[in-house]
Amino acid sequence: MASTEPIILGLEGTAHTAGVAVIQGPQIHANESATYFPPQGGIHPREAATYLTKQFPILLKKIFQKLQFKPDKIDGIAFSQGPGLGPCLRTTATVARAISLKLNKPLLGVNHCIAHVELGRTITPANDPLVLYVSGGNTQLITFLNGRYRVLGETLDIAIGNALDSLGREMNLPHPGGPHIEKRAQQGKNLLLLPYTIKGMSFSFSGMVTAAKKLIANHSTSDICYSFQEYTFAILAEATERALSCTKKGSVLLTGGVAANVHLQNIIKLVAKEQESLFYVVPRNLAGDNGVMIAFAGTHLLKTGEIIPIQKSQVKPRWRTDQVQVGWIS
Amino acid sequence: MKLIQAEKIAKGAEAVIFKGTFLQSPIAIKHRLPKSYRHPDIDNRIRLHRLRSEAKVMTNARKIGVSVPSLFGVDIEDHILIIESLEGKLLFEEMNSLPIDKLDPIFVNLGHQIGLLHSNDIIHGDLTVFNVLIQLEDKLSIIDFGLGKISNELEAKADDLLTFYSTLKAIQPASNILFNTFLEGYLSVYPEGKNTYEQMKKIQSRARYIAREDRLE
């Protein structure tokens, strides 16, 4: 192990995914995750938390078996401190505290949204991009400005992934709906009329879901999927282009679970081209929630000395992206 | 002799901008080109709709005495607007260079102008510090009505305030004071605006993860 980079254990658990990873610099030593799929309906916070409680010991065991070195070589324990579902966050924090005490290693509280950004900055060439972060729980346009990650635009109600899942459920597609809608949309031919809501660089999707649900009785599932993607992605694209044009960042990074959608990738690629900017996207296997991103962000926290004592490691369910002091970028 | 002479100067998010002269007056030509990233049907619908609203909103705003560029011409077929070209610095740039006491009169005046717009049911649609042009001291113009519309809906007006508040917040953390100054100006010409402000807080509370200290009381 020639690298002088610290070895970080990352624990992700903000909603339906339990993720554990060990990284060193940009190198991933081990990465395991398990995702909760509700038997019906959406995610119930308590049931998701119960699932995490069961999964963490299994995942940790797998991780420690895979490592080529002893756990005491780990330099820091990073965990998703927020934002997210309270019960899930508390479960994850409990696991993190226990490991931190057992190994006697510093605890690092990571902001989940920023972790998605740092993942992109670590494994793609993006350095100071405009970030379009799209997932089941969040949809934000983020960029670094004056010491913090600023949210230039965001959803005013529900996240894009949540919108896709909710429409998918209504059409009896399995959870999560996003990938199924993407697949069905490829067979869609007719563009149905839906509202187009954009407010500067912000947007809202719940009205569009309602409008799309009303189409179910009279139109094919594939046409609805196709139209819903065309409209919502056009809105995200337009907001992204506006933010690129305002900030003149010169590059776009697409991250978060919905970044795995190839159609969205192609659209944002075209936006980048319109603004003569570079386009980056996180790899598919790391687009959704995972421990790697938490560990990458945790590395920065360890280096800038932002270690939290256990007494101050309460979870932050409403922790916003722009509340974090970013000491690792100058 | 050519009536219009112009050259391309910028590519915005909405349109390509040319600057030049029309009968010796400085003009800007705003050409909304098709966007490759959206379905042609959505694209055509949006571009035509916005061109029409923008022309209408600018004309109405000028009539009630709000400082906006004058409209010289509209070409519906080619999605082109010909408007007066104004000199000045973006409020965004001024916020980075001016001390806060110099910003105060600007924000009061901006509040006046927006209050005037809203009392006449004119919505800007993209009210940010990138769309306010500072000309002299506190003299300012409001530009880019590309997402503008005529509406008496409380929600639409509240969206204007929230968009402004959010972008202000994004570039300057201590922006609550400036927003309050803006609000004073706004309410002084548009007393009903207190309902707009209440609605803005309602919309804000629908969003995800609003920190307690960011919630407007």
Side-chain angles (χ1 to χ4, degrees):
Chain A
M1 221 178 296
S3 174
T4 54
E5 288 283 339
I7 300 172
I8 306 291
L9 173 78
L11 296 162
E12 156 63 31
T14 53
H16 63 336
T17 299
V20 184
V22 175
I23 63 99
Q24 186 173 27
Q27 195 193 348
I28 301 167
H29 287 305
N31 178 29
E32 293 293 333
S33 65
T35 300
Y36 172 67
F37 292 106
Q40 61 181 44
I43 298 162
H44 189 293
R46 195 189 56 236
E47 280 157 18
T50 310
Y51 176 82
L52 299 189
T53 313
K54 286 184 186 140
Q55 288 300 321
F56 273 124
I58 303 171
L59 298 175
L60 282 163
K61 208 169 182 182
K62 276 193 199 165
I63 288 281
F64 288 133
Q65 277 167 356
K66 275 190 185 171
L67 290 183
Q68 305 290 317
F69 46 85
K70 291 232 169 78
D72 63 4
K73 293 268 185 219
I74 291 169
D75 297 299
I77 313 300
F79 74 105
S80 53
Q81 200 177 3
L85 305 173
C88 302
L89 293 173
R90 285 190 287 277
T91 300
T92 312
T94 307
V95 176
R97 288 176 200 128
I99 302 172
S100 167
L101 285 172
K102 168 83 183 159
L103 298 177
N104 194 22
K105 300 291 175 180
L107 198 57
L108 309 157
V110 169
N111 178 296
H112 172 91
C113 304
I114 287 181
H116 276 287
V117 177
E118 291 305 334
L119 172 84
R121 288 185 64 241
T122 310
I123 57 175
T124 78
N127 181 37
D128 182 17
L130 172 78
V131 182
L132 176 59
Y133 164 38
V134 281
S135 72
N138 299 283
T139 307
Q140 298 183 325
L141 277 162
I142 305 167
T143 204
F144 183 79
L145 199 72
N146 301 334
R148 281 177 198 232
Y149 281 116
R150 311 285 173 177
V151 178
L152 296 172
E154 65 187 313
T155 179
L156 297 174
D157 43 46
I158 58 171
I160 179 66
N162 190 343
L164 290 164
D165 291 348
S166 153
L167 179 63
R169 268 201 299 281
E170 211 68 23
M171 297 189 297
N172 295 317
L173 299 175
H175 182 90
H180 295 278
I181 289 184
E182 181 182 10
K183 218 170 154 190
R184 295 296 184 97
Q186 288 163 1
Q187 271 95 51
K189 286 183 187 73
N190 304 306
L191 186 76
L192 310 168
L193 196 65
L194 284 171
Y196 186 96
T197 323
I198 188 158
K199 297 163 181 187
M201 286 178 263
S202 290
F203 26 78
S204 72
F205 296 119
S206 77
M208 302 187 68
V209 173
T210 309
K213 282 178 183 171
K214 286 184 184 153
L215 299 171
I216 293 174
N218 299 314
H219 296 276
S220 74
T221 302
S222 49
D223 280 349
I224 295 171
C225 292
Y226 170 65
S227 307
F228 193 75
Q229 280 204 152
E230 287 305 311
Y231 273 89
T232 51
F233 292 177
I235 290 167
L236 290 174
E238 183 181 344
T240 305
E241 187 176 14
R242 192 158 292 148
L244 254 187
S245 163
C246 284
T247 58
K248 314 235 178 311
K249 285 281 178 173
S251 63
V252 190
L253 168 70
L254 183 61
T255 189
V258 186
N261 186 306
V262 177
H263 188 50
L264 181 62
Q265 290 177 9
N266 290 334
I267 286 174
I268 302 302
K269 213 179 279 173
L270 288 170
V271 171
K273 209 172 149 200
E274 290 267 357
Q275 291 293 319
E276 288 159 24
S277 300
L278 298 166
F279 170 78
Y280 302 108
V281 60
V282 297
R284 192 180 183 87
N285 65 324
L286 294 173
D289 295 350
N290 59 75
V292 174
M293 63 184 207
I294 302 297
F296 283 156
T299 307
H300 292 302
L301 293 175
L302 184 69
K303 286 182 179 172
T304 50
E306 284 164 81
I307 293 158
I308 44 169
I310 294 210
Q311 297 82 341
K312 288 188 176 167
S313 64
Q314 300 95 324
V315 300
K316 303 175 180 178
R318 289 174 172 272
W319 198 10
R320 283 188 58 90
T321 307
D322 45 19
Q323 285 177 308
V324 180
Q325 285 282 5
V326 178
W328 57 90
I329 306 177
S330 50
Chain B
M1 191 192 98
K2 273 189 180 167
L3 192 62
I4 295 177
Q5 288 184 319
E7 61 177 316
K8 181 173 163 177
I9 57 135
K11 190 172 182 199
E14 264 304 287
V16 180
I17 312 288
F18 298 84
K19 280 211 172 161
T21 54
F22 171 62
L23 299 173
Q24 286 156 358
S25 307
I27 53 158
I29 298 173
K30 192 169 173 182
H31 189 185
R32 283 189 165 83
L33 293 167
K35 295 290 179 194
S36 56
Y37 57 74
R38 59 189 169 209
H39 191 289
D41 291 358
I42 302 179
D43 190 59
N44 286 329
R45 204 177 105 204
I46 289 172
R47 283 191 300 141
L48 186 63
H49 177 76
R50 289 192 185 157
L51 180 79
R52 290 183 165 176
S53 317
E54 185 169 6
K56 194 170 166 187
V57 163
M58 282 176 72
T59 314
N60 286 13
R62 205 172 171 79
K63 264 189 217 157
I64 58 164
V66 175
S67 176
V68 301
S70 7
L71 180 67
F72 291 149
V74 187
D75 178 345
I76 296 269
E77 224 152 272
D78 290 326
H79 301 92
I80 288 172
L81 275 186
I82 303 173
I83 56 181
E84 178 187 8
S85 169
L86 298 173
E87 294 294 318
K89 265 185 150 181
L90 295 182
L91 179 53
F92 171 69
E93 297 168 71
E94 294 289 54
M95 282 181 70
N96 286 325
S97 58
L98 290 180
I100 197 140
D101 57 308
K102 291 260 195 242
L103 288 171
D104 254 12
I106 294 176
F107 277 76
V108 173
N109 187 8
L110 183 61
H112 279 160
Q113 308 275 327
I114 302 303
L116 210 51
L117 287 178
H118 283 187
S119 60
N120 287 279
D121 295 339
I122 300 173
I123 312 299
H124 184 279
D126 189 16
L127 191 60
T128 70
V129 290
F130 299 98
N131 287 332
V132 178
L133 205 61
I134 309 300
Q135 286 149 315
L136 279 169
E137 293 280 312
D138 66 336
K139 176 161 168 33
L140 57 87
S141 287
I142 299 162
I143 57 169
D144 198 354
F145 285 82
L147 294 180
K149 62 179 175 184
I150 312 288
S151 167
N152 59 7
E153 276 177 47
L154 195 57
E155 182 93 359
K157 294 175 187 178
D159 275 337
D160 261 358
L161 295 193
L162 185 58
T163 304
F164 185 63
Y165 176 75
S166 309
T167 50
L168 206 57
K169 188 95 196 156
I171 60 165
Q172 203 173 60
S175 50
N176 276 1
I177 309 155
L178 286 172
F179 186 75
N180 286 337
T181 313
F182 163 85
L183 213 54
E184 269 171 44
Y186 180 76
L187 293 172
S188 71
V189 296
Y190 183 43
E192 297 87 341
K194 63 180 191 305
N195 298 328
T196 321
Y197 180 56
E198 288 306 314
Q199 186 66 16
M200 166 190 159
K201 288 191 279 184
K202 256 188 218 161
I203 301 174
Q204 195 197 29
S205 70
R206 282 181 222 149
R208 303 183 73 80
Y209 316 132
I210 295 295
R212 271 191 196 92
E213 64 266 31
D214 281 352
R215 264 179 215 274
L216 291 163
E217 296 306 331

